[in-house]
Amino acid sequence: FVMYSRKESKRVREEFWICFGKNYHRKWLLYNTRIKDFSLKFTFTRKFAEVSIDLDSTDEIMRQYYFEKLQSLKTILKEGFLPDAAFDEVYELENRKIISRVYVSKESVNIHNKKDWPVAQEWLTEKMDALERFFLKYRDFIEQ
């Protein structure tokens, strides 16, 4: 177990994402969902990898509205795209901000361990691809 300074940790994370972009060259939707405060996200930390739909509106009612829309599609999402999807209406980010999140996680991977990178990259790509396909298919329903 190696301790990294903040600067070293930042450099390793940047290196990972540059490497990911080169290995999986593709334009992801991410923030380009056309829905305000509704984004698709990649997360990779020292503890886990995650792919998520983040609802981060400060307007509680809008956040709840979109979360309920996603919940109404839960069976479709789990049966057709991401069987392990978790729904968390109150999800606290590291910066203490509360959002709503629908996500899948892969435990026991560490962004600081380069041996984990190929597995994490493949997993992130596969899960984000499924999440994007789900979102694009149901965007009109979610939006209305």
Side-chain angles (χ1 to χ4, degrees):
F1 176 69
V2 181
M3 286 298 290
Y4 283 96
S5 71
R6 247 199 184 123
K7 193 175 171 184
E8 289 169 317
S9 180
K10 182 178 191 230
R11 186 190 54 73
V12 170
R13 288 193 313 271
E14 285 172 356
E15 197 181 320
F16 170 81
W17 292 112
I18 290 166
C19 177
F20 180 66
K22 286 179 181 165
N23 291 340
Y24 293 90
H25 190 69
R26 168 170 171 186
K27 181 104 178 86
W28 300 99
L29 271 177
L30 305 176
Y31 295 94
N32 303 317
T33 61
R34 296 195 325 238
I35 302 174
K36 186 174 168 19
D37 302 318
F38 188 114
S39 55
L40 279 58
K41 286 220 176 107
F42 287 113
T43 305
F44 189 22
T45 68
R46 293 188 321 266
K47 297 184 177 110
F48 62 87
E50 206 166 77
V51 168
S52 61
I53 293 175
D54 284 9
L55 309 172
D56 59 1
S57 178
T58 50
D59 180 341
E60 194 85 22
I61 290 162
M62 284 312 293
R63 200 174 78 223
Q64 200 171 4
Y65 170 78
Y66 285 122
F67 189 75
E68 285 171 8
K69 284 280 197 156
L70 290 171
Q71 273 187 312
S72 74
L73 296 167
K74 187 175 191 171
T75 304
I76 292 167
L77 176 63
K78 288 174 95 74
E79 287 178 3
F81 300 90
L82 294 169
D84 302 332
F87 285 69
D88 205 338
E89 191 168 2
V90 179
Y91 188 101
E92 187 175 347
L93 298 173
E94 277 182 15
N95 64 6
R96 299 248 183 276
K97 183 176 181 182
I98 300 295
I99 65 167
S100 295
R101 180 174 270 186
V102 174
Y103 62 97
V104 286
S105 284
K106 180 171 185 58
E107 303 292 324
S108 306
V109 287
N110 179 345
I111 196 164
H112 287 168
N113 183 349
K114 289 187 179 184
K115 285 191 220 113
D116 287 350
W117 287 14
V119 168
Q121 288 180 0
E122 190 175 327
W123 185 88
L124 288 164
T125 299
E126 179 190 316
K127 300 306 178 189
M128 182 59 83
D129 181 68
L131 198 59
E132 278 191 354
R133 283 184 289 111
F134 163 77
F135 174 73
L136 291 170
K137 187 167 184 176
Y138 296 97
R139 173 168 45 199
D140 293 346
F141 170 78
I142 292 166
E143 243 177 334
Q144 59 186 245

PDB file of all heavy atoms in Angstrom, residues 16-39:
ATOM      1  N   PHE A  16      -4.705   8.053 -15.623  1.00  0.00           N
ATOM      2  CA  PHE A  16      -5.716   7.029 -15.872  1.00  0.00           C
ATOM      3  C   PHE A  16      -6.708   7.501 -16.927  1.00  0.00           C
ATOM      4  O   PHE A  16      -7.005   6.781 -17.872  1.00  0.00           O
ATOM      5  CB  PHE A  16      -6.485   6.636 -14.602  1.00  0.00           C
ATOM      6  CG  PHE A  16      -7.666   5.762 -14.915  1.00  0.00           C
ATOM      7  CD1 PHE A  16      -7.491   4.401 -15.119  1.00  0.00           C
ATOM      8  CD2 PHE A  16      -8.946   6.290 -15.074  1.00  0.00           C
ATOM      9  CE1 PHE A  16      -8.565   3.578 -15.466  1.00  0.00           C
ATOM     10  CE2 PHE A  16     -10.030   5.484 -15.413  1.00  0.00           C
ATOM     11  CZ  PHE A  16      -9.826   4.124 -15.612  1.00  0.00           C
ATOM     12  N   TRP A  17      -7.257   8.703 -16.755  1.00  0.00           N
ATOM     13  CA  TRP A  17      -8.305   9.175 -17.668  1.00  0.00           C
ATOM     14  C   TRP A  17      -7.769   9.426 -19.073  1.00  0.00           C
ATOM     15  O   TRP A  17      -8.468   9.181 -20.058  1.00  0.00           O
ATOM     16  CB  TRP A  17      -9.032  10.396 -17.086  1.00  0.00           C
ATOM     17  CG  TRP A  17      -9.829   9.993 -15.874  1.00  0.00           C
ATOM     18  CD1 TRP A  17      -9.593  10.342 -14.576  1.00  0.00           C
ATOM     19  CD2 TRP A  17     -10.964   9.118 -15.839  1.00  0.00           C
ATOM     20  NE1 TRP A  17     -10.516   9.733 -13.741  1.00  0.00           N
ATOM     21  CE2 TRP A  17     -11.366   8.979 -14.490  1.00  0.00           C
ATOM     22  CE3 TRP A  17     -11.693   8.434 -16.817  1.00  0.00           C
ATOM     23  CZ2 TRP A  17     -12.456   8.193 -14.100  1.00  0.00           C
ATOM     24  CZ3 TRP A  17     -12.778   7.654 -16.424  1.00  0.00           C
ATOM     25  CH2 TRP A  17     -13.146   7.541 -15.085  1.00  0.00           C
ATOM     26  N   ILE A  18      -6.526   9.863 -19.187  1.00  0.00           N
ATOM     27  CA  ILE A  18      -5.909  10.033 -20.511  1.00  0.00           C
ATOM     28  C   ILE A  18      -5.762   8.665 -21.169  1.00  0.00           C
ATOM     29  O   ILE A  18      -6.115   8.465 -22.333  1.00  0.00           O
ATOM     30  CB  ILE A  18      -4.540  10.759 -20.397  1.00  0.00           C
ATOM     31  CG1 ILE A  18      -4.778  12.231 -20.016  1.00  0.00           C
ATOM     32  CG2 ILE A  18      -3.750  10.646 -21.696  1.00  0.00           C
ATOM     33  CD1 ILE A  18      -3.523  12.962 -19.540  1.00  0.00           C
ATOM     34  N   CYS A  19      -5.278   7.702 -20.406  1.00  0.00           N
ATOM     35  CA  CYS A  19      -5.106   6.330 -20.885  1.00  0.00           C
ATOM     36  C   CYS A  19      -6.462   5.743 -21.294  1.00  0.00           C
ATOM     37  O   CYS A  19      -6.592   5.111 -22.350  1.00  0.00           O
ATOM     38  CB  CYS A  19      -4.458   5.503 -19.776  1.00  0.00           C
ATOM     39  SG  CYS A  19      -4.249   3.768 -20.151  1.00  0.00           S
ATOM     40  N   PHE A  20      -7.480   5.973 -20.467  1.00  0.00           N
ATOM     41  CA  PHE A  20      -8.839   5.494 -20.763  1.00  0.00           C
ATOM     42  C   PHE A  20      -9.325   6.078 -22.086  1.00  0.00           C
ATOM     43  O   PHE A  20      -9.857   5.358 -22.932  1.00  0.00           O
ATOM     44  CB  PHE A  20      -9.776   5.883 -19.613  1.00  0.00           C
ATOM     45  CG  PHE A  20     -11.200   5.449 -19.813  1.00  0.00           C
ATOM     46  CD1 PHE A  20     -11.545   4.105 -19.831  1.00  0.00           C
ATOM     47  CD2 PHE A  20     -12.215   6.381 -19.954  1.00  0.00           C
ATOM     48  CE1 PHE A  20     -12.866   3.693 -19.996  1.00  0.00           C
ATOM     49  CE2 PHE A  20     -13.535   5.986 -20.117  1.00  0.00           C
ATOM     50  CZ  PHE A  20     -13.852   4.644 -20.142  1.00  0.00           C
ATOM     51  N   GLY A  21      -9.125   7.366 -22.279  1.00  0.00           N
ATOM     52  CA  GLY A  21      -9.557   8.028 -23.510  1.00  0.00           C
ATOM     53  C   GLY A  21      -8.867   7.486 -24.744  1.00  0.00           C
ATOM     54  O   GLY A  21      -9.466   7.382 -25.818  1.00  0.00           O
ATOM     55  N   LYS A  22      -7.604   7.108 -24.593  1.00  0.00           N
ATOM     56  CA  LYS A  22      -6.854   6.549 -25.724  1.00  0.00           C
ATOM     57  C   LYS A  22      -7.290   5.118 -26.021  1.00  0.00           C
ATOM     58  O   LYS A  22      -7.425   4.730 -27.180  1.00  0.00           O
ATOM     59  CB  LYS A  22      -5.345   6.583 -25.433  1.00  0.00           C
ATOM     60  CG  LYS A  22      -4.767   7.976 -25.531  1.00  0.00           C
ATOM     61  CD  LYS A  22      -3.280   7.986 -25.209  1.00  0.00           C
ATOM     62  CE  LYS A  22      -2.727   9.389 -25.282  1.00  0.00           C
ATOM     63  NZ  LYS A  22      -1.405   9.491 -24.646  1.00  0.00           N
ATOM     64  N   ASN A  23      -7.509   4.332 -24.978  1.00  0.00           N
ATOM     65  CA  ASN A  23      -7.891   2.928 -25.163  1.00  0.00           C
ATOM     66  C   ASN A  23      -9.330   2.756 -25.612  1.00  0.00           C
ATOM     67  O   ASN A  23      -9.664   1.794 -26.299  1.00  0.00           O
ATOM     68  CB  ASN A  23      -7.676   2.136 -23.868  1.00  0.00           C
ATOM     69  CG  ASN A  23      -6.208   1.973 -23.540  1.00  0.00           C
ATOM     70  OD1 ASN A  23      -5.353   2.100 -24.408  1.00  0.00           O
ATOM     71  ND2 ASN A  23      -5.912   1.706 -22.283  1.00  0.00           N
ATOM     72  N   TYR A  24     -10.200   3.669 -25.177  1.00  0.00           N
ATOM     73  CA  TYR A  24     -11.625   3.572 -25.511  1.00  0.00           C
ATOM     74  C   TYR A  24     -12.043   4.898 -26.120  1.00  0.00           C
ATOM     75  O   TYR A  24     -12.737   5.690 -25.502  1.00  0.00           O
ATOM     76  CB  TYR A  24     -12.460   3.232 -24.265  1.00  0.00           C
ATOM     77  CG  TYR A  24     -12.154   1.846 -23.754  1.00  0.00           C
ATOM     78  CD1 TYR A  24     -11.155   1.630 -22.814  1.00  0.00           C
ATOM     79  CD2 TYR A  24     -12.844   0.739 -24.240  1.00  0.00           C
ATOM     80  CE1 TYR A  24     -10.850   0.346 -22.371  1.00  0.00           C
ATOM     81  CE2 TYR A  24     -12.551  -0.545 -23.795  1.00  0.00           C
ATOM     82  CZ  TYR A  24     -11.553  -0.725 -22.861  1.00  0.00           C
ATOM     83  OH  TYR A  24     -11.262  -1.982 -22.423  1.00  0.00           O
ATOM     84  N   HIS A  25     -11.567   5.105 -27.339  1.00  0.00           N
ATOM     85  CA  HIS A  25     -11.803   6.373 -28.029  1.00  0.00           C
ATOM     86  C   HIS A  25     -13.253   6.451 -28.470  1.00  0.00           C
ATOM     87  O   HIS A  25     -13.675   5.725 -29.360  1.00  0.00           O
ATOM     88  CB  HIS A  25     -10.861   6.468 -29.245  1.00  0.00           C
ATOM     89  CG  HIS A  25     -10.874   7.830 -29.855  1.00  0.00           C
ATOM     90  ND1 HIS A  25     -10.353   8.916 -29.217  1.00  0.00           N
ATOM     91  CD2 HIS A  25     -11.375   8.272 -31.029  1.00  0.00           C
ATOM     92  CE1 HIS A  25     -10.518   9.987 -29.980  1.00  0.00           C
ATOM     93  NE2 HIS A  25     -11.146   9.621 -31.087  1.00  0.00           N
ATOM     94  N   ARG A  26     -13.997   7.294 -27.785  1.00  0.00           N
ATOM     95  CA  ARG A  26     -15.414   7.411 -28.074  1.00  0.00           C
ATOM     96  C   ARG A  26     -15.947   8.691 -27.439  1.00  0.00           C
ATOM     97  O   ARG A  26     -15.500   9.085 -26.376  1.00  0.00           O
ATOM     98  CB  ARG A  26     -16.116   6.191 -27.477  1.00  0.00           C
ATOM     99  CG  ARG A  26     -17.596   6.325 -27.443  1.00  0.00           C
ATOM    100  CD  ARG A  26     -18.228   5.028 -27.079  1.00  0.00           C
ATOM    101  NE  ARG A  26     -19.646   5.258 -26.858  1.00  0.00           N
ATOM    102  CZ  ARG A  26     -20.464   4.348 -26.419  1.00  0.00           C
ATOM    103  NH1 ARG A  26     -20.028   3.148 -26.153  1.00  0.00           N
ATOM    104  NH2 ARG A  26     -21.730   4.626 -26.241  1.00  0.00           N
ATOM    105  N   LYS A  27     -16.907   9.293 -28.074  1.00  0.00           N
ATOM    106  CA  LYS A  27     -17.540  10.493 -27.510  1.00  0.00           C
ATOM    107  C   LYS A  27     -18.698  10.023 -26.627  1.00  0.00           C
ATOM    108  O   LYS A  27     -19.679   9.482 -27.122  1.00  0.00           O
ATOM    109  CB  LYS A  27     -18.044  11.391 -28.648  1.00  0.00           C
ATOM    110  CG  LYS A  27     -18.700  12.672 -28.172  1.00  0.00           C
ATOM    111  CD  LYS A  27     -17.771  13.857 -28.373  1.00  0.00           C
ATOM    112  CE  LYS A  27     -18.441  15.146 -27.944  1.00  0.00           C
ATOM    113  NZ  LYS A  27     -18.313  15.436 -26.532  1.00  0.00           N
ATOM    114  N   TRP A  28     -18.546  10.199 -25.328  1.00  0.00           N
ATOM    115  CA  TRP A  28     -19.596   9.803 -24.385  1.00  0.00           C
ATOM    116  C   TRP A  28     -20.572  10.959 -24.194  1.00  0.00           C
ATOM    117  O   TRP A  28     -20.211  12.121 -24.322  1.00  0.00           O
ATOM    118  CB  TRP A  28     -18.978   9.434 -23.035  1.00  0.00           C
ATOM    119  CG  TRP A  28     -18.013   8.295 -23.108  1.00  0.00           C
ATOM    120  CD1 TRP A  28     -16.647   8.373 -23.157  1.00  0.00           C
ATOM    121  CD2 TRP A  28     -18.323   6.896 -23.154  1.00  0.00           C
ATOM    122  NE1 TRP A  28     -16.112   7.111 -23.230  1.00  0.00           N
ATOM    123  CE2 TRP A  28     -17.113   6.190 -23.231  1.00  0.00           C
ATOM    124  CE3 TRP A  28     -19.527   6.186 -23.134  1.00  0.00           C
ATOM    125  CZ2 TRP A  28     -17.053   4.798 -23.285  1.00  0.00           C
ATOM    126  CZ3 TRP A  28     -19.469   4.798 -23.184  1.00  0.00           C
ATOM    127  CH2 TRP A  28     -18.243   4.122 -23.266  1.00  0.00           C
ATOM    128  N   LEU A  29     -21.811  10.639 -23.830  1.00  0.00           N
ATOM    129  CA  LEU A  29     -22.824  11.672 -23.573  1.00  0.00           C
ATOM    130  C   LEU A  29     -22.475  12.548 -22.371  1.00  0.00           C
ATOM    131  O   LEU A  29     -22.494  13.772 -22.456  1.00  0.00           O
ATOM    132  CB  LEU A  29     -24.179  11.020 -23.285  1.00  0.00           C
ATOM    133  CG  LEU A  29     -25.099  10.725 -24.437  1.00  0.00           C
ATOM    134  CD1 LEU A  29     -26.339  10.022 -23.919  1.00  0.00           C
ATOM    135  CD2 LEU A  29     -25.481  11.975 -25.183  1.00  0.00           C
ATOM    136  N   LEU A  30     -22.258  11.908 -21.243  1.00  0.00           N
ATOM    137  CA  LEU A  30     -21.932  12.571 -19.982  1.00  0.00           C
ATOM    138  C   LEU A  30     -22.855  13.748 -19.684  1.00  0.00           C
ATOM    139  O   LEU A  30     -23.993  13.548 -19.317  1.00  0.00           O
ATOM    140  CB  LEU A  30     -20.450  12.951 -19.938  1.00  0.00           C
ATOM    141  CG  LEU A  30     -19.493  11.757 -20.185  1.00  0.00           C
ATOM    142  CD1 LEU A  30     -18.043  12.207 -20.219  1.00  0.00           C
ATOM    143  CD2 LEU A  30     -19.681  10.645 -19.180  1.00  0.00           C
ATOM    144  N   TYR A  31     -22.371  14.993 -19.845  1.00  0.00           N
ATOM    145  CA  TYR A  31     -23.200  16.157 -19.491  1.00  0.00           C
ATOM    146  C   TYR A  31     -24.147  16.568 -20.623  1.00  0.00           C
ATOM    147  O   TYR A  31     -25.011  17.401 -20.428  1.00  0.00           O
ATOM    148  CB  TYR A  31     -22.312  17.352 -19.120  1.00  0.00           C
ATOM    149  CG  TYR A  31     -21.513  17.110 -17.879  1.00  0.00           C
ATOM    150  CD1 TYR A  31     -20.216  16.626 -17.939  1.00  0.00           C
ATOM    151  CD2 TYR A  31     -22.078  17.332 -16.621  1.00  0.00           C
ATOM    152  CE1 TYR A  31     -19.494  16.377 -16.784  1.00  0.00           C
ATOM    153  CE2 TYR A  31     -21.362  17.092 -15.459  1.00  0.00           C
ATOM    154  CZ  TYR A  31     -20.065  16.616 -15.546  1.00  0.00           C
ATOM    155  OH  TYR A  31     -19.365  16.369 -14.406  1.00  0.00           O
ATOM    156  N   ASN A  32     -23.977  16.009 -21.810  1.00  0.00           N
ATOM    157  CA  ASN A  32     -24.779  16.415 -22.972  1.00  0.00           C
ATOM    158  C   ASN A  32     -26.102  15.676 -23.080  1.00  0.00           C
ATOM    159  O   ASN A  32     -26.455  15.164 -24.129  1.00  0.00           O
ATOM    160  CB  ASN A  32     -23.961  16.222 -24.265  1.00  0.00           C
ATOM    161  CG  ASN A  32     -22.669  16.998 -24.225  1.00  0.00           C
ATOM    162  OD1 ASN A  32     -22.649  18.136 -23.800  1.00  0.00           O
ATOM    163  ND2 ASN A  32     -21.592  16.368 -24.652  1.00  0.00           N
ATOM    164  N   THR A  33     -26.850  15.637 -21.980  1.00  0.00           N
ATOM    165  CA  THR A  33     -28.115  14.898 -21.963  1.00  0.00           C
ATOM    166  C   THR A  33     -29.290  15.763 -22.442  1.00  0.00           C
ATOM    167  O   THR A  33     -30.362  15.242 -22.664  1.00  0.00           O
ATOM    168  CB  THR A  33     -28.449  14.408 -20.540  1.00  0.00           C
ATOM    169  OG1 THR A  33     -28.590  15.554 -19.691  1.00  0.00           O
ATOM    170  CG2 THR A  33     -27.374  13.470 -20.005  1.00  0.00           C
ATOM    171  N   ARG A  34     -29.086  17.054 -22.555  1.00  0.00           N
ATOM    172  CA  ARG A  34     -30.124  18.033 -22.903  1.00  0.00           C
ATOM    173  C   ARG A  34     -31.124  18.233 -21.763  1.00  0.00           C
ATOM    174  O   ARG A  34     -32.140  18.889 -21.946  1.00  0.00           O
ATOM    175  CB  ARG A  34     -30.881  17.647 -24.182  1.00  0.00           C
ATOM    176  CG  ARG A  34     -30.033  17.627 -25.428  1.00  0.00           C
ATOM    177  CD  ARG A  34     -30.848  17.608 -26.696  1.00  0.00           C
ATOM    178  NE  ARG A  34     -32.080  16.853 -26.612  1.00  0.00           N
ATOM    179  CZ  ARG A  34     -32.395  15.822 -27.397  1.00  0.00           C
ATOM    180  NH1 ARG A  34     -31.570  15.444 -28.347  1.00  0.00           N
ATOM    181  NH2 ARG A  34     -33.545  15.196 -27.264  1.00  0.00           N
ATOM    182  N   ILE A  35     -30.852  17.642 -20.595  1.00  0.00           N
ATOM    183  CA  ILE A  35     -31.715  17.831 -19.430  1.00  0.00           C
ATOM    184  C   ILE A  35     -30.874  18.529 -18.362  1.00  0.00           C
ATOM    185  O   ILE A  35     -29.793  18.050 -18.013  1.00  0.00           O
ATOM    186  CB  ILE A  35     -32.259  16.486 -18.881  1.00  0.00           C
ATOM    187  CG1 ILE A  35     -33.042  15.737 -19.974  1.00  0.00           C
ATOM    188  CG2 ILE A  35     -33.136  16.724 -17.658  1.00  0.00           C
ATOM    189  CD1 ILE A  35     -33.491  14.341 -19.567  1.00  0.00           C
ATOM    190  N   LYS A  36     -31.379  19.645 -17.855  1.00  0.00           N
ATOM    191  CA  LYS A  36     -30.642  20.425 -16.860  1.00  0.00           C
ATOM    192  C   LYS A  36     -30.389  19.598 -15.587  1.00  0.00           C
ATOM    193  O   LYS A  36     -31.297  18.938 -15.085  1.00  0.00           O
ATOM    194  CB  LYS A  36     -31.456  21.686 -16.536  1.00  0.00           C
ATOM    195  CG  LYS A  36     -30.756  22.673 -15.622  1.00  0.00           C
ATOM    196  CD  LYS A  36     -31.592  23.937 -15.500  1.00  0.00           C
ATOM    197  CE  LYS A  36     -31.196  24.891 -14.422  1.00  0.00           C
ATOM    198  NZ  LYS A  36     -29.909  24.842 -13.850  1.00  0.00           N
ATOM    199  N   ASP A  37     -29.150  19.666 -15.094  1.00  0.00           N
ATOM    200  CA  ASP A  37     -28.747  18.986 -13.853  1.00  0.00           C
ATOM    201  C   ASP A  37     -28.968  17.474 -13.885  1.00  0.00           C
ATOM    202  O   ASP A  37     -29.233  16.849 -12.861  1.00  0.00           O
ATOM    203  CB  ASP A  37     -29.485  19.589 -12.635  1.00  0.00           C
ATOM    204  CG  ASP A  37     -29.230  21.082 -12.483  1.00  0.00           C
ATOM    205  OD1 ASP A  37     -28.076  21.499 -12.670  1.00  0.00           O
ATOM    206  OD2 ASP A  37     -30.198  21.817 -12.196  1.00  0.00           O
ATOM    207  N   PHE A  38     -28.838  16.880 -15.074  1.00  0.00           N
ATOM    208  CA  PHE A  38     -29.027  15.446 -15.276  1.00  0.00           C
ATOM    209  C   PHE A  38     -27.843  14.976 -16.116  1.00  0.00           C
ATOM    210  O   PHE A  38     -27.735  15.335 -17.276  1.00  0.00           O
ATOM    211  CB  PHE A  38     -30.341  15.246 -16.052  1.00  0.00           C
ATOM    212  CG  PHE A  38     -30.797  13.809 -16.178  1.00  0.00           C
ATOM    213  CD1 PHE A  38     -31.957  13.386 -15.553  1.00  0.00           C
ATOM    214  CD2 PHE A  38     -30.093  12.893 -16.950  1.00  0.00           C
ATOM    215  CE1 PHE A  38     -32.412  12.077 -15.687  1.00  0.00           C
ATOM    216  CE2 PHE A  38     -30.533  11.583 -17.083  1.00  0.00           C
ATOM    217  CZ  PHE A  38     -31.696  11.168 -16.448  1.00  0.00           C
ATOM    218  N   SER A  39     -26.919  14.227 -15.494  1.00  0.00           N
ATOM    219  CA  SER A  39     -25.725  13.831 -16.236  1.00  0.00           C
ATOM    220  C   SER A  39     -25.352  12.377 -15.999  1.00  0.00           C
ATOM    221  O   SER A  39     -25.750  11.765 -15.012  1.00  0.00           O
ATOM    222  CB  SER A  39     -24.548  14.738 -15.860  1.00  0.00           C
ATOM    223  OG  SER A  39     -24.351  14.736 -14.463  1.00  0.00           O
TER     224      SER A  39
END
